[in-house]
Amino acid sequence: MTLEKHDLVHEFPESRDAIHELKMNNNHFSRLFDQYHDKDHEVHRIEAGVENTSDEYLEVRKKERLKLKDELYKMIKDHEGQ
């Protein structure tokens, strides 16, 4: 089973510069980015079999990751539109 990368740069490679700029200059974005990164690593560890949890727990974490990604994406697009 091949595990996909879900870090923001892989998800939005065309927005690499905006992501970097927002991480450096926007505290709210930076906090959400860190939360997303932590959530993504947790999901990856579970999917890789490093951690064992229930399917329900994994699904909740994936939904939390998706919510964070949606919020970060909106911030990236708003920034790029300036």
Side-chain angles (χ1 to χ4, degrees):
M1 176 175 157
T2 303
L3 299 176
E4 292 183 38
K5 290 190 179 262
H6 288 279
D7 62 90
L8 285 184
V9 175
H10 279 90
E11 293 288 312
F12 312 118
E14 71 284 355
S15 299
R16 176 185 300 267
D17 293 339
I19 292 168
H20 177 72
E21 189 172 321
L22 284 164
K23 277 183 12 186
M24 304 311 316
N25 299 312
N26 184 312
N27 288 333
H28 181 62
F29 182 91
S30 182
R31 259 191 319 276
L32 292 177
F33 180 90
D34 289 343
Q35 289 174 12
Y36 177 85
H37 181 77
D38 291 345
K39 197 73 61 183
D40 185 49
H41 278 276
E42 181 180 14
V43 168
H44 190 273
R45 286 190 310 268
I46 293 167
E47 290 178 334
V50 175
E51 296 180 18
N52 293 319
T53 65
S54 69
D55 290 343
E56 182 179 327
Y57 181 88
L58 177 59
E59 287 306 310
V60 168
R61 294 305 170 264
K62 285 182 175 182
K63 287 176 184 175
E64 292 170 348
R65 177 179 68 180
L66 182 59
K67 183 178 184 285
L68 286 166
K69 182 166 67 171
D70 287 346
E71 193 169 348
L72 289 162
Y73 179 76
K74 182 181 179 336
M75 293 176 77
I76 291 166
K77 289 304 165 190
D78 287 349
H79 178 78
E80 291 176 335
Q82 293 179 356

